[in-house]
């Protein structure tokens, strides 16, 4: 894997598409912010005088809006991945609702398969269980790209993702290092930007920071898909 070529192609695609996807990123950030429990909790506290009723409503809202935020985040990530994939493959495929739903089921399966077995192992060997979560997640995450490219079933996509991971472990480690370095740079840049923004935007600083974080996440998503497309996928065809 040529890291320079991977990063160059990813940055070029980012520059070509960021203006198109930026309004979607901003819209998602605003909706996600509105759905955050803290927004509604502040309203509840200001409008309800009974302390017990406040506590009950706060707990209920936390659960409801955590689920809504989680589902919204999944659909957002899948739509971003789909958009990048279409752009990189230079095809004219549209966003089909049934395909997005299949991808949603697949991503949910990845979360379940990454977390549940690891939690069970954690009961016996705590450190090993925690370590397995990112390994299983990465090993299965490429199933999303496989389903998009080959239109495979959920189970077939998961199996092929594991095969692809097993055959490219060293490259996967390099990708993880690139991702970690990129994520740290994004967090550092976001923190630095937050200082001047706090004087200009005031209470809206967190929203601007979240938008910047999501823009950074968009670039990382491009890198992951470019990496996948650079791999020899003959073992899963």
């Amino acid at each position: 894997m040529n890291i320079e070529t991977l990063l160059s192609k990813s940055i070029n695609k980012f520059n070509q598409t960021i203006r198109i996807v930026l309004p979607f990123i901003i819209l998602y950030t605003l909706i996600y912010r509105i759905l955050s429990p803290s927004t509604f909790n502040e309203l509840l506290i200001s409008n309800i005088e009974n302390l017990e009723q406040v506590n009950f409503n706060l707990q209920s809202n936390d659960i409801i809006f955590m689920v809504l935020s989680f589902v919204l985040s999944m659909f957002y990530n899948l739509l971003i991945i789909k958009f990048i994939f279409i752009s990189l493959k230079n095809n004219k495929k549209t966003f089909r609702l049934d395909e997005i739903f299949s991808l949603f089921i697949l991503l949910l399966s990845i979360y379940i398969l990454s977390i549940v077995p690891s939690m069970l192992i954690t009961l016996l060997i705590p450190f090993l269980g925690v370590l397995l979560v990112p390994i299983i997640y990465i090993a299965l995450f490429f199933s999303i790209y496989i389903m998009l490219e080959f239109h495979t079933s959920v189970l077939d996509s998961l199996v092929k993702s594991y095969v692809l991971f097993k055959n490219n472990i060293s490259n996967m480690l390099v990708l993880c290092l690139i991702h970690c370095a990129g994520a740290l740079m994004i967090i550092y840049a976001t923190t630095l930007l937050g200082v001047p923004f706090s004087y200009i935007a005031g209470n809206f600083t967190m929203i601007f920071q979240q938008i910047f974080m999501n823009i950074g996440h968009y670039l990382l998503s491009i890198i992951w898909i470019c990496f996948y497309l650079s791999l020899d996928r003959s073992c899963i065809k």
Side-chain angles (χ1 to χ4, degrees):
M1 180 184 66
N2 190 315
I3 298 176
E4 184 178 350
T5 302
L6 173 65
L7 295 178
S8 177
K9 184 178 180 179
S10 301
I11 292 171
N12 287 338
K13 182 55 65 175
F14 174 83
N15 292 332
Q16 292 170 11
T17 59
I18 185 58
R19 290 184 181 180
I20 300 172
V21 80
L22 183 58
F24 180 62
I25 292 175
I26 295 173
L27 178 63
Y28 162 74
T29 305
L30 293 175
I31 295 175
Y32 190 88
R33 180 65 180 171
I34 291 171
L35 288 177
S36 65
S38 59
T39 303
F40 284 85
N41 289 347
E42 290 174 4
L43 293 173
L44 278 173
I45 293 172
S46 62
N47 289 296
I48 300 178
E49 297 181 357
N50 188 299
L51 184 59
E52 292 182 1
Q53 188 179 356
V54 169
N55 290 333
F56 174 77
N57 286 328
L58 288 179
Q59 292 174 2
S60 301
N61 281 338
D62 285 347
I63 295 172
I64 293 171
F65 290 110
M66 280 178 62
V67 172
L68 287 176
S69 299
F70 177 70
V71 173
L72 176 66
S73 176
M74 288 179 66
F75 274 113
Y76 165 78
N77 287 319
L78 290 173
L79 288 172
I80 287 291
I81 290 172
K82 174 70 174 176
F83 172 79
I84 297 169
F85 210 89
I86 290 175
S87 179
L88 286 170
K89 296 286 285 185
N90 294 318
N91 57 40
K92 298 181 179 180
K93 291 184 177 180
T94 57
F95 288 82
R96 299 199 332 267
L97 187 61
D98 60 329
E99 184 178 46
I100 298 299
F101 181 73
S102 297
L103 289 170
F104 179 85
I105 298 299
L106 176 58
L107 183 55
L108 188 61
S109 301
I110 293 171
Y111 284 133
I112 293 171
L113 291 172
S114 301
I115 296 173
V116 174
S118 301
M119 287 179 63
L120 296 175
I121 295 173
T122 301
L123 298 175
L124 300 174
I125 312 175
F127 177 76
L128 181 60
V130 173
L131 185 64
L132 281 176
V133 174
I135 295 174
I136 297 174
Y137 180 82
I138 294 169
L140 300 180
F141 186 77
F142 290 90
S143 60
I144 297 173
Y145 308 148
I146 292 170
M147 178 179 280
L148 281 171
E149 184 175 17
F150 300 110
H151 308 289
T152 50
S153 65
V154 171
L155 180 58
D156 196 26
S157 299
L158 291 169
V159 172
K160 288 183 176 181
S161 179
Y162 169 73
V163 172
L164 190 67
F165 174 81
K166 186 179 66 173
N167 291 345
N168 295 276
I169 291 180
S170 59
N171 287 331
M172 297 288 179
L173 290 174
V174 175
L175 175 65
C176 289
L177 291 175
I178 293 172
H179 181 92
C180 291
L184 288 174
M185 290 174 64
I186 292 166
I187 294 170
Y188 181 70
T190 302
T191 304
L192 288 180
L193 285 173
V195 177
F197 263 115
S198 63
Y199 294 101
I200 300 170
N203 294 332
F204 294 99
T205 302
M206 289 187 63
I207 295 177
F208 284 110
Q209 287 181 309
Q210 190 61 53
I211 290 172
F212 188 81
M213 289 279 287
N214 289 334
I215 291 173
H217 177 263
Y218 175 65
L219 174 59
L220 291 177
S221 297
I222 294 176
I223 293 174
W224 275 68
I225 297 175
C226 285
F227 168 81
Y228 164 79
L229 295 174
S230 71
L231 296 176
D232 179 9
R233 303 186 297 284
S234 58
C235 60
I236 60 173
K237 291 182 179 178

